[in-house]
């Protein structure tokens, strides 16, 4: 048979979206204390066990067993406005509820083995998203169905870490991440499913970290997380066209064995300074290597020629297909915060973060990406020296983006996108 043409007319798979209002589809929701201070200093403050999610070396700052359990509720608002194509002749209208809500749990436990070693275990999420823009394609015969639909991505990071105190000033740490990823995606042209993905899988990554303690009141932390490419398997089906030399374009139903979804490495450096007995400042600079996120690749496809065409029922080896190209760019975020201890029972905190977008030359309606500003506040109630309850709230505001995305069905599609979100976090911490 002729070589399969890997041009997929009806596919624009977007297994990633910034509807969680962080760079790429990265989450910032690992703790209530972190939410309250815009995650400034989170790699070194070590006021509860959630520090494992940012820097395993900071476990060396604990001399007692510590447990933290938390929950974050994210309410995302996404406006997709003035969607049109054919030079503005066809107007698809607007949608103001393309985002979704998420409940994101976490749990952390640190156990100091002796005055040198500590071990920790954690479950949390670094990546995830959810959008639904399918209503924009209703009642339009030639809508850009390949760009509009439902997307849901969930990841869970199961981490085991070990820290080692070199001396009073330096500590190092390392951890292994077992990352579970799950993705669901649909793109429908009326009653015809163009893309149907329901897949999951596992991958392994790791994290390295270090802390520098100038003294009890001034310290720094840094870490590098090696994020894996998650290969997910399940139902991965598409409808596409290809030129097989049979007298014109041929429509095929293709089933793939798996998808490769690359996740981004994360580097961060943080500082903490206790300026007075009651007030401290802290900050973070974080680099996320989204430049490696070039495309979503479908693996080992087998295509079947649909009925009513020449060669109907025959199969074609589709091989590996780049379902969607992204070519994102690396991004930075910078955050600054302060913590004020009112008394033995109450501590308050606040922060600001500027988070840079990742979309470069290729825009996407499914990815209304832009720079974002975070405004956050939080408090802790210390029930007693062992028990505390933490609360955090964040308002995240993205920029208005005017974009053009090319649809294989409808040609260039114009849209205006804007995103915002509210984060509500609660956490319980216990020191044994």
């Amino acid at each position: 048979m002729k070589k399969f043409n890997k041009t997929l007319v009806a596919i624009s798979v977007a297994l990633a979206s910034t509807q969680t209002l962080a760079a790429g589809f990265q989450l910032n929701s690992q703790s209530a204390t972190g939410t309250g201070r815009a995650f400034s200093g989170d790699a070194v403050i070590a006021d509860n066990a959630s520090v494992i999610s940012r820097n395993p070396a900071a476990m060396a700052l604990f001399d007692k067993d510590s447990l933290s359990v938390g929950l974050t509720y994210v309410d995302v608002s996404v406006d997709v406005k003035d969607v049109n194509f054919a030079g503005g002749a066809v107007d698809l209208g607007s949608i103001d509820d393309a985002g979704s809500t998420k409940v994101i749990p976490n749990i952390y436990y640190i156990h100091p083995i002796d005055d040198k070693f500590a071990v920790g275990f954690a479950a949390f999420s670094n990546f995830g998203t959810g959008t639904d823009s399918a209503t924009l394609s209703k009642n339009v015969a030639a809508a850009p169905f390949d760009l509009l639909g439902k997307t849901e991505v969930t990841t869970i990071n199961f981490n085991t870490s070990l820290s080692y105190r070199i001396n009073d000033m330096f500590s190092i740490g390392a951890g292994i991440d077992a990352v579970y990823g799950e993705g669901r995606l649909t793109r429908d042209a009326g009653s015809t499913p163009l893309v149907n993905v329901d897949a999951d899988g596992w991958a392994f990554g790791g994290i390295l970290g270090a802390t520098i303690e100038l003294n009890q009141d001034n310290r720094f932390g840094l870490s590098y997380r090696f994020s894996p490419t998650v290969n997910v398997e399940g139902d991965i089906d598409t409808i596409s066209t290809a030129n097989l030399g049979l007298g014109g374009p041929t429509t095929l139903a293709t089933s793939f064995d798996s998808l490769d979804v690359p996740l981004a490495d994360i580097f961060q450096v943080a500082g903490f300074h206790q300026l007075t007995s009651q007030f401290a400042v802290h900050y973070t600079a974080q680099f996320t290597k989204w430049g490696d996120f070039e495309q979503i690749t479908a693996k080992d496809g087998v295509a079947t020629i649909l009925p009513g065409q020449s060669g109907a029922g025959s199969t074609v080896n589709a091989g590996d297909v780049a379902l969607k190209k992204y070519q994102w760019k690396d991004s930075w975020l910078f955050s600054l915060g302060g913590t004020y201890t009112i008394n033995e029972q109450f501590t308050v905190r606040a922060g600001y973060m500027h988070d840079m977008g990742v979309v470069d030359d290729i825009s996407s309606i499914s990815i209304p990406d832009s720079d974002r500003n975070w405004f956050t506040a939080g408090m802790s109630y210390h029930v007693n020296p062992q028990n505390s309850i933490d609360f955090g709230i964040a308002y995240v505001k993205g920029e208005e983006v005017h974009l053009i995305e090319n649809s294989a069905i409808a040609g260039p599609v114009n849209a205006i996108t804007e995103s915002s979100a509210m984060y509500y976090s609660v956490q319980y911490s216990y020191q044994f």
Side-chain angles (χ1 to χ4, degrees):
M1 276 194 173
K2 302 276 187 180
K3 183 179 179 181
F4 181 71
N5 185 331
K6 294 182 179 179
T7 302
L8 299 182
V9 171
I11 299 175
S12 181
V13 175
L15 279 178
S17 170
T18 55
Q19 301 325 310
T20 46
L21 273 289
F25 51 105
Q26 184 178 355
L27 291 172
N28 283 313
S29 59
Q30 288 77 26
S31 69
T33 45
T35 299
R37 57 184 171 237
F39 299 95
S40 59
D42 260 26
V44 74
I45 292 181
D47 48 359
N48 57 67
S50 66
V51 72
I52 304 174
S53 67
R54 300 281 176 162
N55 184 4
M59 295 191 300
L61 300 172
F62 290 75
D63 57 9
K64 297 178 181 178
D65 286 22
S66 182
L67 171 72
S68 290
V69 180
L71 197 69
T72 297
Y73 176 82
V74 186
D75 184 10
V76 180
S77 174
V78 179
D79 296 334
V80 184
K81 301 178 289 187
D82 300 331
V83 183
N84 65 84
F85 62 97
V90 182
D91 187 0
L92 298 179
S94 303
I95 183 172
D96 59 5
D97 58 352
S100 66
T101 60
K102 280 187 172 294
V103 177
I104 307 168
N106 55 69
I107 183 170
Y108 309 94
Y109 177 70
I110 293 174
H111 171 63
I113 299 172
D114 53 31
D115 60 353
K116 290 289 187 181
F117 289 96
V119 64
F121 307 94
F124 56 96
S125 180
N126 279 325
F127 303 97
T129 186
T131 59
D132 185 358
S133 58
T135 57
L136 287 170
S137 63
K138 290 183 177 180
N139 303 319
V140 180
F145 302 110
D146 51 337
L147 307 184
L148 307 174
K150 297 180 180 179
T151 302
E152 184 74 23
V153 173
T154 301
T155 68
I156 305 174
N157 191 328
F158 298 94
N159 172 272
T160 300
S161 292
L162 181 71
S163 68
Y164 176 72
R165 177 172 287 282
I166 299 173
N167 52 39
D168 289 343
M169 188 174 183
F170 297 105
S171 300
I172 56 175
I176 297 174
D177 294 326
V179 182
Y180 171 76
E182 182 179 59
R184 294 184 176 88
L185 179 137
T186 59
R187 297 289 186 267
D188 298 328
S191 60
T192 302
L194 301 180
V195 180
N196 180 30
V197 175
D198 188 352
D200 62 356
W202 289 85
F204 290 90
I207 183 171
L208 299 174
T211 61
I212 303 171
E213 300 170 67
L214 302 182
N215 52 47
Q216 185 176 355
D217 296 329
N218 298 276
R219 53 186 183 266
F220 302 92
L222 66 157
S223 67
Y224 192 97
R225 170 161 264 119
F226 302 88
S227 297
T229 293
V230 180
N231 181 264
V232 295
E233 299 179 349
D235 297 325
I236 305 169
D237 304 306
T238 68
I239 300 293
S240 60
T241 64
N243 184 8
L244 302 180
L246 300 176
T250 302
T251 303
L252 308 107
T254 307
S255 295
F256 296 92
D257 285 347
S258 63
L259 287 176
D260 278 349
V261 182
L263 303 178
D265 290 359
I266 304 168
F267 169 76
Q268 61 184 305
V269 59
F272 171 84
H273 306 283
Q274 189 73 45
L275 301 182
T276 71
S277 61
Q278 291 181 288
F279 181 67
V281 297
H282 26 82
Y283 45 86
T284 289
Q286 178 176 293
F287 172 79
T288 307
K289 201 176 178 184
W290 280 117
D292 291 340
F293 190 79
E294 295 185 352
Q295 64 186 38
I296 299 261
T297 304
K299 311 281 287 186
D300 301 322
V302 176
T304 303
I305 300 175
L306 293 178
Q309 306 174 96
S310 177
S314 300
T315 59
V316 180
N317 181 14
D320 297 347
V321 176
L323 291 186
K324 175 69 176 179
K325 292 185 180 295
Y326 291 93
Q327 297 179 358
W328 284 355
K329 61 184 179 181
D330 298 334
S331 70
W332 283 90
L333 68 78
F334 303 94
S335 62
L336 174 67
T339 297
Y340 184 77
T341 302
I342 298 174
N343 52 40
E344 292 182 355
Q345 284 190 301
F346 292 99
T347 301
V348 294
R349 56 186 62 87
Y352 166 76
M353 177 164 65
H354 181 70
D355 187 13
M356 297 180 178
V358 300
V359 171
D360 200 2
D361 294 332
I362 302 176
S363 299
S364 173
I365 295 172
S366 301
I367 309 176
D369 187 49
S370 71
D371 292 356
R372 289 154 297 274
N373 293 302
W374 293 57
F375 306 92
T376 74
M379 65 167 289
S380 296
Y381 172 60
H382 305 281
V383 181
N384 53 45
Q386 286 75 42
N387 295 270
S388 64
I389 302 173
D390 306 294
F391 304 93
I393 186 171
Y395 171 65
V396 188
K397 181 64 174 176
E399 298 175 349
E400 185 176 87
V401 176
H402 295 249
L403 61 87
I404 301 174
E405 182 176 10
N406 188 60
S407 165
I409 297 173
V413 178
N414 301 280
I416 300 172
T417 63
E418 188 173 8
S419 304
S420 62
M422 290 297 302
Y423 280 61
Y424 306 92
S425 297
V426 64
Q427 175 180 301
Y428 168 75
S429 296
Y430 180 76
Q431 282 202 339
F432 294 83

